[in-house]
Each structure stands twice: as C-alpha cells, then as structure tokens.
Amino acid sequence: MSMIVRRLSRAATAGLVAAAALTAAAHSAEAADTLGSAAVGQGRYFGTAVAASHLGESDYAATLDREFSSVTPENEMKWDATEPSRGSFTFTSADRIVDHAQSQGMDVRGHTLVWHSQLPSWVSPLGAQDLRTAMNAHINGLMGHYKGEIHSWDVVNEAFQDGGSGARRSSPFQDKLGDGFIEEAFRTARAADPAAKLCYNDYNTDGVNAKSNAVYDMVKDFKSRGVPIDCVGFQSHFNSNSPVPSDYRHNLQRFADLGVDVQITELDIEGSGSAQAADYTKMVEACLAVSRCTGMTVWGVTDKYSWRSGGTPLLFDGDYNEKPAYGAVLSALGGSGGPGDPGDPGDPGDGASCTATYTRTADWSSGYNGQVTITAGAEPISSWTATVTLPAQQSVSSLWNGTPTWSGNVMTVRPSWNGTLAAGASTSFGFTAAKNGSDAAPTVGTCTAS
Ligand code: 9MR
C-alpha cells in the first residue's frame, strides 16, 4: 500500500512542523504564569511582533521565549524584504524568525502579502496586467515558501482610507486593478496554502466607524459570494489621539457574527502606569468575551524597540521589566496564580479530554475527503492526538490542519497550529484519500488530550 502524505515545503526538509507541535505542547503545559501559557488556558494565543535583528540580544530572546506563544515578523515578511527585485525572493531574515519560533514551540502569523507600503520600487510602475501577475506571483512565492508553517496570514493590509468616506485607499493595486484586487489576492492565497487562515488587516477599524463599516461590508460580501476569507485583524494602535473605543468589543463581535475569526494583531497603547494597564485589561477582556477572537499580538517585546518608543506603549520597559500593564494582561488572562488556578492546563490530574468524530465531506469515484473534528471536553486543552485507521486498500495523498505519523494503515494525527482549544471548543483536520477499490469508511480511535 502506498501512503504518500504530502509533507510541507520548507519544513519538510527539517521536519520542523512535527517538532514544533511537540514543543508547543510542552511549552503550553507550563503553569499559567506567563502571557502565552495563560492565554493557552483561554484557548487563545498571545503573540508579539519580532525583529530578526534583536534575536541575538539575550534579554530580548529570553523575554520572548518565556512569555509569548505566537510571533509576527515585524518587517521581515513584507514585500520589500522578501522580493526586492522581481522574481528573486530572499527569506534569510524571515526564516530566522520562523526557525526561532518553531524551536520554541511558538506559532507564526504572516505579515503581510499585499500592502501599499514597504513595496520595492519595481512594483509601482507596472501596468495593470503585469501588476496582477506580479501580485499573484508574490503571494505564491511567499506563501509557498512557508506553506503549512503560518497559522494566519494578513493577505491584504490597510486597503481602506482613513476619514469618513469608507473609500478604498489609493495604491498601485487599487488604482490599476480596482476593488477586485483584494478578492483576487484572497483567492490566490487560499490556493497557495489551504491550511492558513486568511485575514484582512487594518487600523482605525477598532470601533464602529465609516472605515470599519466599509471593511464590514466587504467581509459580508465576501462571505455571501464564497470569497475565501477566514479572519479580520484589528491592529489596535492606541494613544491619546486615537483612544481605545468604547465599542471595541461590540465591533469585534459584529465581525465575528459574519462568520470570520477576529484577531488583535498589532496591539500597543501609549502611556504608563495604571491608566495604560486599565486599557490593556479592556483589550484582553474584549477578546475573551468574543468566542471567535482567537488571539492577540502586541506590536513588540520592549518599549525601547517599539515603532512608537517615545510613547512607551508595550508590556515590558526598556530593561525588560514587567510594567503594570503586563500584570493587568496576565491577570485578565486568568494567569499568575500558577498551579491550581482554574483553567491552568498544567495542573497535575486535571481532566484534559477530547472526542474525535469523522465525516466524509466530499466524494468522487476514485476518492474522498474526510474530516475529523476534535472537541475539547470540560477543560481547556493544549494538545490532542487522534488515530484514524484506513481500510487496507486506501491511501492518503494529502492532509491539512494536522501532523500525521504512520504505522501500517493507522494514521496518528497531532495538531499543526491548532492544539489549543478552550473547554468545549472544536477544531478539525482533513485529508484526501484514494479508494483503490474500497469505499469503506475509516475508523477513528480514541482522542487523547493534554
Ligand atoms: O513596526 C513597523 C516599523 O518597524 C516599520 O518601520 C513600519 C514601516 O511601515 O511598519 C511598522 O509596522 C506597521 C505594520 O506593518 C502595519 N501596521 C502599522 C504598523 C506600525 O506602523
């Protein structure tokens, strides 16, 4: 029997996906006394933007590794960094971040594929048809390199104008390709890495206003027409000119109600002391109150490297000391008490459990697609393992949203990016099987969780 599971591009050579999944489980099983582990207890990730150039600084790396469960390359995956001349991709800095994250069991957010800013100079002069070709080639090149390694991609960033009009922002893409460039980018992205969540990301869309209404209308239209969008990112850069909106949570919820996940993607709040801490608390509470808010990312580890360093907007000061905002976030995430706290997945003897159910989601004469849904029991979980036994003749040609190992015709599947689940929450993995003359259903064994 030939069992050909398509392994994943960059990671395939190093076997990093499987390693990362295993490390992630270990990472998240610690007591909930860090941001990442406390967020895991809530079924969320807690991430930070990272600059490759700082990874060699020991305090930076130590704080990053200890506290965060997801990273977003701050600049290293942008178009100017990855395709500075046409068709010639460079991934050195971005790879450094992804490799570091995987070695620590952290997930990676991809930022960003199509954006008017940080574009190399060769892009803007292209004519419409050439620009379309270049845009799709860029998406394919970047997503292809990281296929299977990115939990969510900012496919299009900041395509709407500020101000009250709700109009699209002028950019080479908008001006030459029209409104349809966003849809085209999402369709290309889905084909390039079907396992990645595809997000639209923007700022000043954090409350209900003309800009967020325009994004809302676009997402609603995409959902109604089957354009592949999975999530909306709310950058959430706040200061006294742009304070935390009082309807922040309501705004997240109305997007979630359209059937997309929501993520807080670039959080920073200028200020200090208890006022800053109180605003951070509101952010965490808003995300936890919206079940489709899957995680949050702060835009940097330490104030000293923030793009708004003068405003000291982050959770650690320039000496990596925890600020009051840090304690507020940890406490809002239910952390800090360590073992014995409700929701701490590291407690010995806690009742981590899961169930696995199988459905056939597509069927044709020579093959079918199967889906296995994993549902956490009464406690949050940080990892799961499910076994699927195939009829002897059948073979699996691809599998997504899971990491398989094989023994004969028994496939043991562990999470790729989707190990952490809140109590009662579900995720699923899917696979394509060739029937080879047998139309029988596979059997799904016991699901185990930690
Ligand atoms: O933090 C980034 C900073 O280092 C860059 O100089 C800047 C260049 O545009 O981009 C910053 O990140 C931006 C992000 O990519 C998109 N949303 C706004 C962020 C802050 O400007």
Side-chain angles (χ1 to χ4, degrees):
M1 169 170 53
S2 76
M3 291 282 190
I4 313 151
V5 172
R6 196 182 308 131
R7 290 300 308 274
L8 306 166
S9 54
R10 205 186 73 92
T13 46
L16 286 170
V17 165
L22 293 174
T23 326
H27 190 263
S28 55
E30 291 159 11
D33 56 359
T34 65
L35 302 172
S37 58
V40 162
Q42 304 288 349
R44 268 76 173 180
Y45 66 83
F46 198 97
T48 179
V50 164
S53 58
H54 301 317
L55 288 174
E57 186 183 323
S58 58
D59 286 348
Y60 182 92
T63 309
L64 168 67
D65 297 350
R66 187 182 69 243
E67 295 290 343
F68 297 96
S69 63
S70 170
V71 302
T72 306
E74 187 170 355
N75 291 295
E76 291 78 353
M77 285 187 179
K78 292 171 180 175
W79 199 321
D80 60 352
T82 50
E83 197 186 1
S85 57
R86 190 168 187 178
S88 163
F89 286 87
T90 59
F91 297 113
T92 317
S93 298
D95 278 357
R96 242 187 112 193
I97 294 176
V98 174
D99 290 346
H100 183 95
Q102 290 178 340
S103 76
Q104 296 297 317
M106 299 166 178
D107 295 326
V108 184
R109 278 196 98 255
H111 175 79
T112 176
L113 295 162
V114 183
W115 187 27
H116 65 275
S117 184
Q118 288 176 277
L119 272 180
S121 58
W122 61 267
V123 176
S124 303
L126 300 178
Q129 192 46 45
D130 215 9
L131 180 64
R132 167 173 287 119
T133 305
M135 179 184 85
N136 289 324
H138 182 70
I139 294 170
N140 284 324
L142 191 43
M143 289 186 82
H145 182 71
Y146 292 110
K147 190 171 183 182
E149 300 184 272
I150 304 289
H151 68 83
S152 311
W153 267 108
D154 291 332
V155 177
V156 175
N157 193 40
E158 301 176 5
F160 286 80
Q161 250 175 41
D162 279 336
S165 69
R168 305 283 166 109
R169 176 198 296 275
S170 170
S171 73
F173 309 104
Q174 180 66 36
D175 300 348
K176 291 174 187 164
L177 307 181
D179 287 357
F181 89 86
I182 303 182
E183 170 172 351
E184 180 157 351
F186 274 84
R187 290 190 191 280
T188 302
R190 176 66 92 224
D193 185 355
K197 300 274 187 191
L198 305 182
C199 303
Y200 176 78
N201 191 51
D202 215 327
Y203 67 93
N204 285 351
T205 49
D206 312 301
V208 176
N209 57 38
K211 189 172 177 179
S212 66
N213 286 343
V215 176
Y216 181 90
D217 289 344
M218 178 187 75
V219 174
K220 191 172 178 187
D221 170 54
F222 279 14
K223 293 300 285 184
S224 74
R225 292 190 296 111
V227 179
I229 186 167
D230 306 306
C231 39
V232 176
F234 297 84
Q235 293 186 10
S236 309
H237 295 292
F238 298 119
N239 58 22
S240 53
N241 295 323
S242 176
V244 175
S246 56
D247 58 359
Y248 189 87
R249 171 181 160 181
H250 167 73
N251 192 46
L252 292 186
Q253 186 64 60
R254 75 173 175 142
F255 276 87
D257 290 343
L258 290 176
V260 287
D261 289 342
V262 293
Q263 300 175 356
I264 300 174
T265 51
E266 303 181 15
L267 178 61
D268 52 16
I269 309 175
E270 291 190 51
S272 61
S274 56
Q276 184 182 48
D279 275 344
Y280 265 103
T281 298
K282 281 186 218 160
M283 293 293 96
V284 177
E285 287 177 349
C287 183
L288 296 185
V290 176
S291 61
R292 292 200 75 141
C293 180
T294 55
M296 59 206 99
T297 296
V298 290
W299 205 238
V301 176
T302 160
D303 281 341
K304 70 176 170 179
Y305 297 140
S306 163
W307 72 297
R308 285 178 164 170
S309 56
T312 62
L314 296 171
L315 302 178
F316 294 91
D317 71 15
D319 296 321
Y320 300 95
N321 295 312
E322 295 163 359
K323 294 166 62 181
Y326 169 90
V329 168
L330 187 57
S331 149
L333 287 170
S336 87
D341 265 12
D344 176 3
D347 285 353
D350 74 3
S353 64
C354 57
T355 54
T357 54
Y358 168 78
T359 46
R360 187 176 287 204
T361 51
D363 191 35
W364 57 98
S365 57
S366 60
Y368 65 91
N369 283 345
Q371 176 174 293
V372 175
T373 300
I374 308 290
T375 304
E379 305 231 346
I381 64 174
S382 56
S383 194
W384 46 262
T385 305
T387 55
V388 179
T389 305
L390 282 118
Q393 297 95 317
Q394 295 182 6
S395 61
V396 166
S397 58
S398 67
L399 185 144
W400 51 96
N401 295 341
T403 306
T405 53
W406 288 96
S407 173
N409 61 335
V410 179
M411 174 169 80
T412 300
V413 183
R414 296 187 175 81
S416 47
W417 52 272
N418 47 350
T420 61
L421 293 174
S426 295
T427 187
S428 62
F429 63 87
F431 59 90
T432 299
K435 293 178 182 170
N436 299 325
S438 165
D439 194 33
T443 50
V444 177
T446 317
C447 186
T448 55
S450 57

